[in-house]
């Protein structure tokens, strides 16, 4: 277990939590834990700070959490932040939420809810067979939804890459948060190269109302550079139909 005294050898330690933070953030959002979005961000900020000194990943236990809290209390004077009892309590609150996330079946429940949604689409008497197939395929960016996006964007929505076989059809408002109309709406989709698709899906990038890229501060800048993301990137074009979906993504998906 790394402690505060080991901090100079922890250059890659933070990455363990970075690998979990997007799912942890979505877990808090889905549980509707807080009224203010900033509170969700504060929890990530606290744990990102702690993750510089302790390994926070999906193997963490209650015993490890207790050790961390006690070590934080003991080493308050060594830190530049969270160096008061109230600061330690703030971190302890974040760690307790994190262990709840680790011990939960969040991913399984999300998967099951998607399967339940798919089942409800298939048995719906108000949707014809062709539309049912189109809605289900849209979840994984295939079929009618993907073709709509290809016809609309003609290439990657950002880079204009024309190699359609590698481009991914991504919902702006996630499939499991959309109704059946939104799941097939061309304005609720972007056609992206794989690195941008994954960053968008994980909430590390979004776009403002003018289509300009927004980068989350919760991913190190050098990672964006390695992934070929530039601050001057933007959507090739944007229409009013995109705006409510992009607003949803910024408010609910973007870290």
């Amino acid at each position: 277990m790394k402690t505060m005294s080991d901090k100079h050898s922890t250059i890659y330690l933070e990455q363990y939590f970075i690998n979990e933070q997007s799912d942890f953030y979505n877990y808090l959002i889905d549980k509707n834990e807080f009224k203010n979005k900033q509170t969700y961000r504060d929890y990530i900020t606290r744990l990102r700070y702690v993750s510089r000194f302790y390994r926070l990943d999906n193997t963490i236990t209650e015993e490890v959490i207790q050790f961390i809290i006690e070590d934080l209390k003991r080493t308050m004077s060594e830190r530049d932040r969270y160096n008061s009892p109230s600061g330690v309590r703030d971190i302890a609150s974040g760690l307790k939420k994190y262990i709840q996330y680790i011990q939960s079946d969040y991913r399984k429940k999300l998967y099951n809810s998607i399967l339940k949604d798919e089942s409800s689409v298939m048995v719906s008497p108000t949707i014809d067979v062709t539309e049912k197939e189109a809605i289900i395929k849209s979840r994984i960016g295939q079929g009618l939804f993907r073709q709509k996006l290809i016809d609309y964007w003609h290439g990657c929505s950002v880079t204009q890459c024309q190699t359609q076989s590698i481009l991914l059809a991504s919902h702006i408002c996630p499939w499991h948060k959309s109704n059946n109309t939104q799941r097939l709406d061309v304005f609720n989709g972007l056609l992206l190269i794989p690195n941008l698709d994954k960053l968008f899906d994980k909430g590390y990038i979004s776009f403002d109302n003018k289509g300009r890229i927004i980068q989350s501060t919760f991913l190190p800048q050098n990672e964006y550079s390695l992934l070929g993301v530039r601050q001057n990137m933007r959507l090739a074009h944007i229409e009013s139909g995109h705006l409510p979906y992009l607003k949803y993504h910024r408010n609910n998906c973007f870290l």
Side-chain angles (χ1 to χ4, degrees):
M1 170 63 62
K2 295 286 187 182
T3 65
M4 297 299 296
S5 60
D6 303 313
K7 61 184 179 181
H8 295 299
S9 63
T10 62
I11 186 170
Y12 297 115
L13 200 57
E14 190 179 16
Q15 193 64 47
Y16 288 108
F17 179 67
I18 290 175
N19 291 338
E20 292 289 338
Q21 68 181 358
S22 178
D23 286 339
F24 176 55
Y25 178 81
N26 288 322
Y27 165 81
L28 294 176
I29 290 284
D30 285 352
K31 284 180 66 67
N32 197 26
E33 289 277 352
F34 313 109
K35 294 181 180 180
N36 188 339
K37 183 183 178 182
Q38 185 57 46
T39 307
Y40 296 98
R41 295 178 61 84
D42 288 344
Y43 269 72
I44 301 297
T45 300
R46 293 167 192 166
L47 295 193
R48 277 293 293 276
Y49 180 85
V50 173
S51 73
R52 292 159 53 190
F53 314 112
Y54 311 94
R55 177 169 171 166
L56 302 183
D57 62 8
N58 60 7
T59 66
I60 202 162
T61 63
E62 296 276 5
E63 292 75 15
V64 171
I65 292 291
Q66 190 57 44
F67 169 85
I68 292 174
I69 293 172
E70 293 303 317
D71 198 46
L72 289 170
K73 292 177 181 177
R74 181 180 61 81
T75 58
M76 281 192 295
S77 62
E78 300 178 28
R79 296 194 298 278
D80 57 338
R81 297 173 60 193
Y82 306 108
N83 51 9
S84 66
S86 63
V88 173
R89 285 195 296 271
D90 286 342
I91 291 179
S93 176
L95 288 169
K96 289 174 183 176
K97 294 289 186 188
Y98 185 66
I99 196 70
Q100 290 172 9
Y101 152 72
I102 291 298
Q103 294 177 345
S104 74
D105 54 357
Y106 169 69
R107 294 183 185 86
K108 181 179 179 181
K109 283 184 176 179
L110 178 58
Y111 178 73
N112 287 340
S113 71
I114 291 173
L115 291 182
K116 184 176 180 181
D117 281 349
E118 289 184 351
S119 178
S120 67
V121 169
M122 294 307 295
V123 300
S124 174
T126 62
I127 306 175
D128 65 36
V129 174
T130 301
E131 188 178 4
K132 286 177 181 178
E133 181 180 8
I135 292 170
I136 297 302
K137 283 187 175 181
S138 76
R139 183 174 76 81
I140 52 176
Q142 293 185 355
L144 177 62
F145 180 66
R146 175 180 170 79
Q147 190 57 52
K148 280 184 175 182
L149 292 181
I150 291 173
D151 293 343
Y152 181 85
W153 292 103
H154 305 297
C156 173
S157 306
V158 176
T159 67
Q160 295 294 284
C161 170
Q162 300 292 307
T163 308
Q164 293 181 4
S165 61
I166 70 168
L167 300 179
L168 301 173
S170 178
H171 286 92
I172 302 174
C173 176
W175 190 91
H176 65 284
K177 298 292 185 180
S178 302
N179 61 37
N180 288 333
T181 300
Q182 294 167 337
R183 288 166 175 168
L184 295 176
D185 187 356
V186 70
F187 292 116
N188 188 26
L190 299 176
L191 199 62
L192 298 170
I193 57 176
N195 56 338
L196 293 181
D197 172 79
K198 183 58 72 173
L199 288 166
F200 187 73
D201 179 63
K202 289 294 184 181
Y204 289 121
I205 61 171
S206 193
F207 299 91
D208 66 16
N209 283 347
K210 294 186 180 297
R212 295 172 299 204
I213 198 168
I214 309 170
Q215 297 178 8
S216 170
T217 58
F218 290 117
L219 195 66
Q221 188 59 47
N222 69 301
E223 294 289 283
Y224 288 113
S225 298
L226 290 170
L227 290 165
V229 179
R230 304 184 304 278
Q231 293 182 346
N232 64 348
M233 282 180 160
R234 62 188 304 146
L235 296 174
H237 54 267
I238 191 169
E239 297 187 55
S240 59
H242 294 113
L243 299 184
Y245 293 117
L246 289 173
K247 181 179 179 180
Y248 181 92
H249 188 272
R250 292 193 301 270
N251 290 342
N252 297 279
C253 305
F254 181 64
L255 272 71

